[in-house]
PDB file of all heavy atoms in Angstrom:
ATOM      1  N   GLU A1285       1.465 -16.976  20.288  1.00 89.00           N
ATOM      2  CA  GLU A1285       0.672 -18.111  20.520  1.00 89.00           C
ATOM      3  C   GLU A1285       1.274 -19.126  21.381  1.00 89.00           C
ATOM      4  O   GLU A1285       0.703 -19.569  22.357  1.00 89.00           O
ATOM      5  CB  GLU A1285       0.409 -18.963  19.158  1.00 89.00           C
ATOM      6  CG  GLU A1285      -0.496 -18.225  18.170  1.00 89.00           C
ATOM      7  CD  GLU A1285       0.256 -17.266  17.276  1.00 89.00           C
ATOM      8  OE1 GLU A1285       1.404 -16.882  17.502  1.00 89.00           O
ATOM      9  OE2 GLU A1285      -0.481 -16.666  16.352  1.00 89.00           O
ATOM     10  N   ALA A1286       2.608 -19.244  21.364  1.00 90.00           N
ATOM     11  CA  ALA A1286       3.397 -20.075  22.240  1.00 90.00           C
ATOM     12  C   ALA A1286       3.345 -19.530  23.682  1.00 90.00           C
ATOM     13  O   ALA A1286       3.038 -20.317  24.693  1.00 90.00           O
ATOM     14  CB  ALA A1286       4.919 -20.209  21.875  1.00 90.00           C
ATOM     15  N   ALA A1287       3.444 -18.172  23.872  1.00 91.00           N
ATOM     16  CA  ALA A1287       3.367 -17.662  25.164  1.00 91.00           C
ATOM     17  C   ALA A1287       1.915 -17.866  25.828  1.00 91.00           C
ATOM     18  O   ALA A1287       1.937 -18.201  26.993  1.00 91.00           O
ATOM     19  CB  ALA A1287       3.728 -16.137  25.130  1.00 91.00           C
ATOM     20  N   THR A1288       0.949 -17.718  24.947  1.00 92.00           N
ATOM     21  CA  THR A1288      -0.400 -17.959  25.487  1.00 92.00           C
ATOM     22  C   THR A1288      -0.557 -19.411  25.953  1.00 92.00           C
ATOM     23  O   THR A1288      -1.164 -19.642  26.966  1.00 92.00           O
ATOM     24  CB  THR A1288      -1.409 -17.602  24.443  1.00 92.00           C
ATOM     25  OG1 THR A1288      -1.237 -16.255  23.996  1.00 92.00           O
ATOM     26  CG2 THR A1288      -2.800 -17.833  24.986  1.00 92.00           C
ATOM     27  N   ILE A1289      -0.101 -20.337  25.109  1.00 92.00           N
ATOM     28  CA  ILE A1289      -0.200 -21.751  25.519  1.00 92.00           C
ATOM     29  C   ILE A1289       0.578 -22.035  26.788  1.00 92.00           C
ATOM     30  O   ILE A1289       0.168 -22.848  27.623  1.00 92.00           O
ATOM     31  CB  ILE A1289       0.240 -22.607  24.231  1.00 92.00           C
ATOM     32  CG1 ILE A1289      -0.733 -22.415  23.038  1.00 92.00           C
ATOM     33  CG2 ILE A1289       0.362 -24.124  24.717  1.00 92.00           C
ATOM     34  CD1 ILE A1289      -0.186 -23.064  21.843  1.00 92.00           C
ATOM     35  N   ILE A1290       1.782 -21.426  26.909  1.00 90.00           N
ATOM     36  CA  ILE A1290       2.636 -21.708  28.120  1.00 90.00           C
ATOM     37  C   ILE A1290       1.803 -21.186  29.340  1.00 90.00           C
ATOM     38  O   ILE A1290       1.798 -21.944  30.366  1.00 90.00           O
ATOM     39  CB  ILE A1290       4.047 -21.000  28.117  1.00 90.00           C
ATOM     40  CG1 ILE A1290       4.921 -21.774  26.906  1.00 90.00           C
ATOM     41  CG2 ILE A1290       4.715 -21.000  29.320  1.00 90.00           C
ATOM     42  CD1 ILE A1290       6.160 -21.001  26.515  1.00 90.00           C
ATOM     43  N   MET A1291       1.421 -20.081  29.316  1.00 90.00           N
ATOM     44  CA  MET A1291       0.620 -19.441  30.496  1.00 90.00           C
ATOM     45  C   MET A1291      -0.604 -20.252  30.780  1.00 90.00           C
ATOM     46  O   MET A1291      -0.970 -20.476  31.939  1.00 90.00           O
ATOM     47  CB  MET A1291       0.277 -17.941  30.193  1.00 90.00           C
ATOM     48  CG  MET A1291       1.481 -17.084  30.420  1.00 90.00           C
ATOM     49  SD  MET A1291       1.047 -15.285  30.444  1.00 90.00           S
ATOM     50  CE  MET A1291       0.682 -14.966  28.705  1.00 90.00           C
ATOM     51  N   VAL A1292      -1.372 -20.659  29.790  1.00 92.00           N
ATOM     52  CA  VAL A1292      -2.547 -21.539  29.973  1.00 92.00           C
ATOM     53  C   VAL A1292      -2.211 -22.978  30.773  1.00 92.00           C
ATOM     54  O   VAL A1292      -2.844 -23.288  31.644  1.00 92.00           O
ATOM     55  CB  VAL A1292      -3.268 -21.718  28.693  1.00 92.00           C
ATOM     56  CG1 VAL A1292      -4.375 -22.839  28.845  1.00 92.00           C
ATOM     57  CG2 VAL A1292      -3.964 -20.547  28.122  1.00 92.00           C
ATOM     58  N   ALA A1293      -1.146 -23.455  30.182  1.00 91.00           N
ATOM     59  CA  ALA A1293      -0.705 -24.740  30.714  1.00 91.00           C
ATOM     60  C   ALA A1293      -0.298 -24.752  32.138  1.00 91.00           C
ATOM     61  O   ALA A1293      -0.637 -25.524  32.973  1.00 91.00           O
ATOM     62  CB  ALA A1293       0.532 -25.352  29.881  1.00 91.00           C
ATOM     63  N   ILE A1294       0.449 -23.606  32.559  1.00 88.00           N
ATOM     64  CA  ILE A1294       0.907 -23.324  33.920  1.00 88.00           C
ATOM     65  C   ILE A1294      -0.185 -23.051  34.750  1.00 88.00           C
ATOM     66  O   ILE A1294      -0.358 -23.476  35.906  1.00 88.00           O
ATOM     67  CB  ILE A1294       2.034 -22.272  33.977  1.00 88.00           C
ATOM     68  CG1 ILE A1294       3.235 -22.651  33.183  1.00 88.00           C
ATOM     69  CG2 ILE A1294       2.408 -21.904  35.397  1.00 88.00           C
ATOM     70  CD1 ILE A1294       4.373 -21.692  33.137  1.00 88.00           C
ATOM     71  N   ALA A1295      -1.130 -22.259  34.263  1.00 88.00           N
ATOM     72  CA  ALA A1295      -2.331 -21.819  35.010  1.00 88.00           C
ATOM     73  C   ALA A1295      -3.269 -23.140  35.380  1.00 88.00           C
ATOM     74  O   ALA A1295      -3.630 -23.270  36.439  1.00 88.00           O
ATOM     75  CB  ALA A1295      -3.186 -20.843  34.202  1.00 88.00           C
ATOM     76  N   LEU A1296      -3.336 -24.002  34.359  1.00 89.00           N
ATOM     77  CA  LEU A1296      -4.148 -25.172  34.639  1.00 89.00           C
ATOM     78  C   LEU A1296      -3.506 -26.105  35.601  1.00 89.00           C
ATOM     79  O   LEU A1296      -4.187 -26.649  36.490  1.00 89.00           O
ATOM     80  CB  LEU A1296      -4.395 -25.923  33.289  1.00 89.00           C
ATOM     81  CG  LEU A1296      -5.324 -25.392  32.222  1.00 89.00           C
ATOM     82  CD1 LEU A1296      -5.248 -26.052  30.937  1.00 89.00           C
ATOM     83  CD2 LEU A1296      -6.676 -25.205  32.741  1.00 89.00           C
ATOM     84  N   VAL A1297      -2.261 -26.213  35.484  1.00 87.00           N
ATOM     85  CA  VAL A1297      -1.498 -27.106  36.620  1.00 87.00           C
ATOM     86  C   VAL A1297      -1.694 -26.495  37.882  1.00 87.00           C
ATOM     87  O   VAL A1297      -1.830 -27.092  38.862  1.00 87.00           O
ATOM     88  CB  VAL A1297      -0.009 -27.172  36.051  1.00 87.00           C
ATOM     89  CG1 VAL A1297       0.860 -27.834  37.248  1.00 87.00           C
ATOM     90  CG2 VAL A1297       0.210 -28.004  34.870  1.00 87.00           C
ATOM     91  N   SER A1298      -1.448 -25.130  38.034  1.00 83.00           N
ATOM     92  CA  SER A1298      -1.590 -24.268  39.295  1.00 83.00           C
ATOM     93  C   SER A1298      -2.945 -24.568  39.868  1.00 83.00           C
ATOM     94  O   SER A1298      -3.123 -24.829  41.080  1.00 83.00           O
ATOM     95  CB  SER A1298      -1.218 -22.904  39.050  1.00 83.00           C
ATOM     96  OG  SER A1298      -1.383 -22.281  40.197  1.00 83.00           O
ATOM     97  N   LEU A1299      -4.009 -24.420  38.952  1.00 84.00           N
ATOM     98  CA  LEU A1299      -5.395 -24.617  39.499  1.00 84.00           C
ATOM     99  C   LEU A1299      -5.665 -26.004  39.954  1.00 84.00           C
ATOM    100  O   LEU A1299      -6.406 -26.304  41.034  1.00 84.00           O
ATOM    101  CB  LEU A1299      -6.463 -24.190  38.538  1.00 84.00           C
ATOM    102  CG  LEU A1299      -6.450 -22.719  38.176  1.00 84.00           C
ATOM    103  CD1 LEU A1299      -7.392 -22.654  36.999  1.00 84.00           C
ATOM    104  CD2 LEU A1299      -6.926 -21.940  39.211  1.00 84.00           C
ATOM    105  N   ALA A1300      -5.045 -27.022  39.352  1.00 83.00           N
ATOM    106  CA  ALA A1300      -5.182 -28.474  39.692  1.00 83.00           C
ATOM    107  C   ALA A1300      -4.338 -28.907  40.925  1.00 83.00           C
ATOM    108  O   ALA A1300      -4.965 -29.820  41.667  1.00 83.00           O
ATOM    109  CB  ALA A1300      -4.799 -29.256  38.498  1.00 83.00           C
ATOM    110  N   THR A1301      -3.352 -28.234  41.173  1.00 81.00           N
ATOM    111  CA  THR A1301      -2.580 -28.567  42.297  1.00 81.00           C
ATOM    112  C   THR A1301      -2.735 -27.830  43.578  1.00 81.00           C
ATOM    113  O   THR A1301      -2.364 -28.238  44.676  1.00 81.00           O
ATOM    114  CB  THR A1301      -1.067 -28.559  41.907  1.00 81.00           C
ATOM    115  OG1 THR A1301      -0.615 -27.330  41.466  1.00 81.00           O
ATOM    116  CG2 THR A1301      -0.775 -29.629  40.799  1.00 81.00           C
ATOM    117  N   GLU A1302      -3.206 -26.584  43.510  1.00 75.00           N
ATOM    118  CA  GLU A1302      -3.345 -25.691  44.642  1.00 75.00           C
ATOM    119  C   GLU A1302      -4.548 -26.214  45.409  1.00 75.00           C
ATOM    120  O   GLU A1302      -5.719 -26.429  44.955  1.00 75.00           O
ATOM    121  CB  GLU A1302      -3.689 -24.306  44.242  1.00 75.00           C
ATOM    122  CG  GLU A1302      -2.408 -23.527  43.620  1.00 75.00           C
ATOM    123  CD  GLU A1302      -1.367 -23.167  44.717  1.00 75.00           C
ATOM    124  OE1 GLU A1302      -1.787 -23.244  45.852  1.00 75.00           O
ATOM    125  OE2 GLU A1302      -0.177 -22.955  44.348  1.00 75.00           O
ATOM    126  N   LYS A1303      -4.336 -26.191  46.716  1.00 65.00           N
ATOM    127  CA  LYS A1303      -5.323 -26.582  47.602  1.00 65.00           C
ATOM    128  C   LYS A1303      -6.380 -25.577  47.772  1.00 65.00           C
ATOM    129  O   LYS A1303      -7.680 -25.758  47.918  1.00 65.00           O
ATOM    130  CB  LYS A1303      -4.810 -26.944  49.019  1.00 65.00           C
ATOM    131  CG  LYS A1303      -3.984 -28.234  49.089  1.00 65.00           C
ATOM    132  CD  LYS A1303      -3.394 -28.482  50.445  1.00 65.00           C
ATOM    133  CE  LYS A1303      -2.420 -29.649  50.528  1.00 65.00           C
ATOM    134  NZ  LYS A1303      -1.972 -29.911  51.827  1.00 65.00           N
ATOM    135  N   ARG A1304      -6.077 -24.296  47.810  1.00 67.00           N
ATOM    136  CA  ARG A1304      -6.990 -23.122  47.925  1.00 67.00           C
ATOM    137  C   ARG A1304      -7.479 -22.779  46.547  1.00 67.00           C
ATOM    138  O   ARG A1304      -6.702 -22.494  45.598  1.00 67.00           O
ATOM    139  CB  ARG A1304      -6.202 -21.914  48.518  1.00 67.00           C
ATOM    140  CG  ARG A1304      -7.247 -20.743  48.747  1.00 67.00           C
ATOM    141  CD  ARG A1304      -6.437 -19.680  49.406  1.00 67.00           C
ATOM    142  NE  ARG A1304      -7.306 -18.472  49.681  1.00 67.00           N
ATOM    143  CZ  ARG A1304      -6.887 -17.399  50.153  1.00 67.00           C
ATOM    144  NH1 ARG A1304      -5.648 -17.246  50.555  1.00 67.00           N
ATOM    145  NH2 ARG A1304      -7.748 -16.351  50.385  1.00 67.00           N
ATOM    146  N   ALA A1305      -8.884 -22.930  46.345  1.00 67.00           N
ATOM    147  CA  ALA A1305      -9.382 -22.621  44.952  1.00 67.00           C
ATOM    148  C   ALA A1305      -9.203 -21.216  44.619  1.00 67.00           C
ATOM    149  O   ALA A1305      -9.278 -20.240  45.556  1.00 67.00           O
ATOM    150  CB  ALA A1305     -10.924 -23.030  45.031  1.00 67.00           C
ATOM    151  N   PHE A1306      -9.031 -20.947  43.374  1.00 75.00           N
ATOM    152  CA  PHE A1306      -8.903 -19.650  42.884  1.00 75.00           C
ATOM    153  C   PHE A1306     -10.240 -19.230  42.350  1.00 75.00           C
ATOM    154  O   PHE A1306     -10.971 -19.881  41.600  1.00 75.00           O
ATOM    155  CB  PHE A1306      -7.807 -19.522  41.680  1.00 75.00           C
ATOM    156  CG  PHE A1306      -7.869 -18.213  41.099  1.00 75.00           C
ATOM    157  CD1 PHE A1306      -7.057 -17.247  41.637  1.00 75.00           C
ATOM    158  CD2 PHE A1306      -8.479 -17.834  39.930  1.00 75.00           C
ATOM    159  CE1 PHE A1306      -6.871 -15.949  40.949  1.00 75.00           C
ATOM    160  CE2 PHE A1306      -8.379 -16.690  39.344  1.00 75.00           C
ATOM    161  CZ  PHE A1306      -7.624 -15.686  39.832  1.00 75.00           C
ATOM    162  N   SER A1307     -10.787 -18.022  42.730  1.00 82.00           N
ATOM    163  CA  SER A1307     -12.069 -17.538  42.341  1.00 82.00           C
ATOM    164  C   SER A1307     -11.897 -16.431  41.339  1.00 82.00           C
ATOM    165  O   SER A1307     -11.208 -15.428  41.567  1.00 82.00           O
ATOM    166  CB  SER A1307     -12.932 -17.047  43.502  1.00 82.00           C
ATOM    167  OG  SER A1307     -12.118 -16.066  44.151  1.00 82.00           O
ATOM    168  N   PHE A1308     -12.689 -16.466  40.105  1.00 86.00           N
ATOM    169  CA  PHE A1308     -12.775 -15.409  39.198  1.00 86.00           C
ATOM    170  C   PHE A1308     -13.801 -14.555  39.511  1.00 86.00           C
ATOM    171  O   PHE A1308     -14.774 -14.855  40.192  1.00 86.00           O
ATOM    172  CB  PHE A1308     -12.964 -16.104  37.742  1.00 86.00           C
ATOM    173  CG  PHE A1308     -11.851 -16.844  37.124  1.00 86.00           C
ATOM    174  CD1 PHE A1308     -11.784 -18.244  37.230  1.00 86.00           C
ATOM    175  CD2 PHE A1308     -10.761 -16.180  36.662  1.00 86.00           C
ATOM    176  CE1 PHE A1308     -10.750 -18.910  36.734  1.00 86.00           C
ATOM    177  CE2 PHE A1308      -9.671 -16.823  36.084  1.00 86.00           C
ATOM    178  CZ  PHE A1308      -9.698 -18.222  36.124  1.00 86.00           C
ATOM    179  N   LEU A1309     -13.642 -13.225  39.228  1.00 89.00           N
ATOM    180  CA  LEU A1309     -14.687 -12.204  39.453  1.00 89.00           C
ATOM    181  C   LEU A1309     -15.976 -12.523  38.586  1.00 89.00           C
ATOM    182  O   LEU A1309     -15.983 -13.081  37.541  1.00 89.00           O
ATOM    183  CB  LEU A1309     -14.145 -10.872  39.101  1.00 89.00           C
ATOM    184  CG  LEU A1309     -12.845 -10.372  39.877  1.00 89.00           C
ATOM    185  CD1 LEU A1309     -12.323  -9.071  39.367  1.00 89.00           C
ATOM    186  CD2 LEU A1309     -13.158 -10.251  41.384  1.00 89.00           C
ATOM    187  N   PRO A1310     -17.067 -12.101  39.124  1.00 92.00           N
ATOM    188  CA  PRO A1310     -18.269 -12.108  38.235  1.00 92.00           C
ATOM    189  C   PRO A1310     -18.185 -11.449  36.859  1.00 92.00           C
ATOM    190  O   PRO A1310     -18.622 -12.089  35.941  1.00 92.00           O
ATOM    191  CB  PRO A1310     -19.246 -11.464  39.134  1.00 92.00           C
ATOM    192  CG  PRO A1310     -18.828 -11.520  40.648  1.00 92.00           C
ATOM    193  CD  PRO A1310     -17.355 -11.444  40.374  1.00 92.00           C
ATOM    194  N   GLN A1311     -17.451 -10.454  36.918  1.00 92.00           N
ATOM    195  CA  GLN A1311     -17.305  -9.743  35.538  1.00 92.00           C
ATOM    196  C   GLN A1311     -16.465 -10.613  34.621  1.00 92.00           C
ATOM    197  O   GLN A1311     -16.760 -10.677  33.243  1.00 92.00           O
ATOM    198  CB  GLN A1311     -16.596  -8.333  35.734  1.00 92.00           C
ATOM    199  CG  GLN A1311     -17.537  -7.289  36.349  1.00 92.00           C
ATOM    200  CD  GLN A1311     -17.544  -7.465  37.866  1.00 92.00           C
ATOM    201  OE1 GLN A1311     -16.944  -8.361  38.439  1.00 92.00           O
ATOM    202  NE2 GLN A1311     -18.227  -6.620  38.404  1.00 92.00           N
ATOM    203  N   GLU A1312     -15.483 -11.303  35.111  1.00 92.00           N
ATOM    204  CA  GLU A1312     -14.635 -12.193  34.330  1.00 92.00           C
ATOM    205  C   GLU A1312     -15.456 -13.457  33.895  1.00 92.00           C
ATOM    206  O   GLU A1312     -15.316 -13.839  32.678  1.00 92.00           O
ATOM    207  CB  GLU A1312     -13.467 -12.626  35.215  1.00 92.00           C
ATOM    208  CG  GLU A1312     -12.604 -11.521  35.466  1.00 92.00           C
ATOM    209  CD  GLU A1312     -11.378 -11.957  36.583  1.00 92.00           C
ATOM    210  OE1 GLU A1312     -11.575 -12.863  37.215  1.00 92.00           O
ATOM    211  OE2 GLU A1312     -10.399 -11.222  36.644  1.00 92.00           O
ATOM    212  N   LYS A1313     -16.402 -13.914  34.712  1.00 93.00           N
ATOM    213  CA  LYS A1313     -17.156 -15.084  34.250  1.00 93.00           C
ATOM    214  C   LYS A1313     -18.094 -14.565  33.126  1.00 93.00           C
ATOM    215  O   LYS A1313     -18.319 -15.308  32.258  1.00 93.00           O
ATOM    216  CB  LYS A1313     -17.959 -15.561  35.420  1.00 93.00           C
ATOM    217  CG  LYS A1313     -17.006 -16.206  36.487  1.00 93.00           C
ATOM    218  CD  LYS A1313     -17.859 -16.685  37.776  1.00 93.00           C
ATOM    219  CE  LYS A1313     -16.854 -17.246  38.759  1.00 93.00           C
ATOM    220  NZ  LYS A1313     -17.774 -17.719  39.994  1.00 93.00           N
ATOM    221  N   ARG A1314     -18.738 -13.326  33.344  1.00 95.00           N
ATOM    222  CA  ARG A1314     -19.667 -12.951  32.223  1.00 95.00           C
ATOM    223  C   ARG A1314     -18.875 -12.584  31.017  1.00 95.00           C
ATOM    224  O   ARG A1314     -19.484 -12.951  29.811  1.00 95.00           O
ATOM    225  CB  ARG A1314     -20.332 -11.696  32.799  1.00 95.00           C
ATOM    226  CG  ARG A1314     -21.367 -12.004  33.875  1.00 95.00           C
ATOM    227  CD  ARG A1314     -22.409 -10.753  34.038  1.00 95.00           C
ATOM    228  NE  ARG A1314     -21.564  -9.584  34.544  1.00 95.00           N
ATOM    229  CZ  ARG A1314     -21.582  -9.117  35.773  1.00 95.00           C
ATOM    230  NH1 ARG A1314     -22.158  -9.979  36.706  1.00 95.00           N
ATOM    231  NH2 ARG A1314     -21.014  -8.130  36.172  1.00 95.00           N
ATOM    232  N   ALA A1315     -17.689 -12.093  31.144  1.00 94.00           N
ATOM    233  CA  ALA A1315     -16.913 -11.814  30.006  1.00 94.00           C
ATOM    234  C   ALA A1315     -16.526 -13.197  29.152  1.00 94.00           C
ATOM    235  O   ALA A1315     -16.608 -13.285  27.950  1.00 94.00           O
ATOM    236  CB  ALA A1315     -15.583 -11.169  30.268  1.00 94.00           C
ATOM    237  N   ALA A1316     -16.272 -14.251  29.971  1.00 93.00           N
ATOM    238  CA  ALA A1316     -15.963 -15.532  29.398  1.00 93.00           C
ATOM    239  C   ALA A1316     -17.200 -16.062  28.675  1.00 93.00           C
ATOM    240  O   ALA A1316     -17.060 -16.680  27.463  1.00 93.00           O
ATOM    241  CB  ALA A1316     -15.543 -16.578  30.464  1.00 93.00           C
ATOM    242  N   LEU A1317     -18.469 -16.050  29.291  1.00 95.00           N
ATOM    243  CA  LEU A1317     -19.670 -16.411  28.640  1.00 95.00           C
ATOM    244  C   LEU A1317     -19.929 -15.662  27.344  1.00 95.00           C
ATOM    245  O   LEU A1317     -20.280 -16.260  26.386  1.00 95.00           O
ATOM    246  CB  LEU A1317     -20.724 -16.286  29.535  1.00 95.00           C
ATOM    247  CG  LEU A1317     -20.708 -17.326  30.739  1.00 95.00           C
ATOM    248  CD1 LEU A1317     -21.946 -17.040  31.847  1.00 95.00           C
ATOM    249  CD2 LEU A1317     -20.902 -18.750  30.208  1.00 95.00           C
ATOM    250  N   LEU A1318     -19.709 -14.318  27.406  1.00 95.00           N
ATOM    251  CA  LEU A1318     -19.971 -13.573  26.216  1.00 95.00           C
ATOM    252  C   LEU A1318     -18.865 -13.933  25.130  1.00 95.00           C
ATOM    253  O   LEU A1318     -19.337 -13.944  23.886  1.00 95.00           O
ATOM    254  CB  LEU A1318     -19.688 -11.971  26.501  1.00 95.00           C
ATOM    255  CG  LEU A1318     -20.843 -11.388  27.273  1.00 95.00           C
ATOM    256  CD1 LEU A1318     -20.515 -10.168  27.984  1.00 95.00           C
ATOM    257  CD2 LEU A1318     -22.129 -11.285  26.456  1.00 95.00           C
ATOM    258  N   LEU A1319     -17.645 -14.332  25.374  1.00 94.00           N
ATOM    259  CA  LEU A1319     -16.719 -14.583  24.494  1.00 94.00           C
ATOM    260  C   LEU A1319     -17.120 -15.863  23.734  1.00 94.00           C
ATOM    261  O   LEU A1319     -16.830 -16.156  22.566  1.00 94.00           O
ATOM    262  CB  LEU A1319     -15.316 -14.685  25.042  1.00 94.00           C
ATOM    263  CG  LEU A1319     -14.118 -14.697  24.034  1.00 94.00           C
ATOM    264  CD1 LEU A1319     -14.175 -13.622  23.078  1.00 94.00           C
ATOM    265  CD2 LEU A1319     -12.895 -14.913  24.763  1.00 94.00           C
ATOM    266  N   VAL A1320     -17.552 -16.889  24.643  1.00 95.00           N
ATOM    267  CA  VAL A1320     -17.994 -18.137  24.117  1.00 95.00           C
ATOM    268  C   VAL A1320     -19.213 -17.982  23.155  1.00 95.00           C
ATOM    269  O   VAL A1320     -19.200 -18.724  22.023  1.00 95.00           O
ATOM    270  CB  VAL A1320     -18.401 -19.096  25.308  1.00 95.00           C
ATOM    271  CG1 VAL A1320     -19.223 -20.360  24.672  1.00 95.00           C
ATOM    272  CG2 VAL A1320     -17.192 -19.582  26.034  1.00 95.00           C
TER     273      VAL A1320
END
C-alpha cells in the first residue's frame, strides 16, 4: 500500500510540473472507466 501511494504521489507531482502533457492510451482510459 505504501509503495502504491508513493508512486501515485510522485506521478501526480510529475504530471503537475511537467510542461509536456502525458497522454494515456485509449485502452487505459477505457480500463479506468470500467474500474470506476
